[in-house]
Amino acid sequence: MSSLLQGVNLYLIGMMGAGKTTVGQLLAKHLGYGFLDTDSVITQSAGRSINQLFAEEGEAAFRQLESDVLAQVCAYTRLTIATGGGIILRTENWSYLHHGLVVWLDVPVELLYTRLAEDTTRPLLQDADPQGKLRSLLEQRTPLYSQADLKITVREEQTPEDIANRVIEAIPSVLKPQVSQ
Ligand SMILES: Nc1ncnc2c1ncn2[C@@H]1O[C@H](COP(=O)(O)OP(=O)(O)OP(=O)(O)O)[C@@H](O)[C@H]1O
Ligand SMILES: O=C(O)C1=C[C@@H](O)[C@@H](O)[C@H](O)C1
Ligand SMILES: [Mg+2]
């Protein structure tokens, strides 16, 4: 599989709680790739949590940091990159994402909500109706997530390892082997 990918980066996109970070780490291991998480790069370099960045600088400033990180990351190869759930919002980010193979982890809202119900680290879910918020964000974002090269629909019983394996199995369907002359 690594030889088919030829070092092309894998970008995981999808909603908060979709499993981009969890599955991305497994995929990197399977592919012999490095792993990066844009949210972690941002929080480490800013020395602040995502909640703090949203509260102190605002969402727009966070989105700018996210674009800056993505622009830097795409200069490297052999990486699996877990992105933030909103990376798909800026058109300019797509010019970077399309340098690699983009995989959408599509997870039903009910499952996202179960996973994140106790989680306080996602500022956009600090809402009176977090499940409704997830539903409306997914509705707004679905046309953007749909621009991925690959869509992996996730069911409740699938473990992160199952999902990583499904991604690996699906890669050949979007990458044609190069024919040697
Ligand atoms: N297939 C799975 N089965 C069960 N739990 C999972 C699965 N994938 C992820 N989780 C759990 O769901 C939670 C959210 O996963 P994760 O942080 O990987 O999502 P994310 O897509 O990176 O979210 P964000 O966009 O907010 O960074 C974590 O607690 C993780 O352990
Ligand atoms: O879906 C989103 O907009 C977000 C997802 C997270 O990964 C973080 O990037 C942040 O909480 C915003
Ligand atoms: Mg993540």
Side-chain angles (χ1 to χ4, degrees), residues 147-161:
Q147 297 183 98
D149 300 301
L150 259 180
K151 171 180 165 177
I152 302 291
T153 304
V154 172
R155 290 190 312 272
E156 187 167 5
E157 67 278 11
Q158 291 170 328
T159 65
E161 192 68 49

Side-chain angles (χ1 to χ4, degrees), residues 5 9 19 31 53 60 64 67 82 94 96 134 136 153 160 165 167-168:
L5 270 175
N9 290 341
L31 295 169
L53 286 168
Q64 186 57 52
S67 294
W94 281 96
Y96 298 118
L134 279 169
S136 74
T153 304
N165 286 331
V167 172
I168 287 176

Side-chain angles (χ1 to χ4, degrees), residues 57-106:
E57 310 291 341
E59 182 174 349
F62 175 82
R63 296 293 173 213
Q64 186 57 52
L65 291 173
E66 191 167 58
S67 294
D68 294 344
V69 167
L70 186 63
Q72 287 172 15
V73 157
C74 87
Y76 297 87
T77 59
R78 302 187 64 80
L79 290 176
T80 298
I81 297 137
T83 63
I87 203 127
I88 41 78
L89 295 171
R90 285 184 158 205
T91 309
E92 70 184 82
N93 291 349
W94 281 96
S95 62
Y96 298 118
L97 294 170
H98 281 315
H99 286 190
L101 192 76
V102 186
V103 180
W104 174 23
L105 299 183
D106 184 24

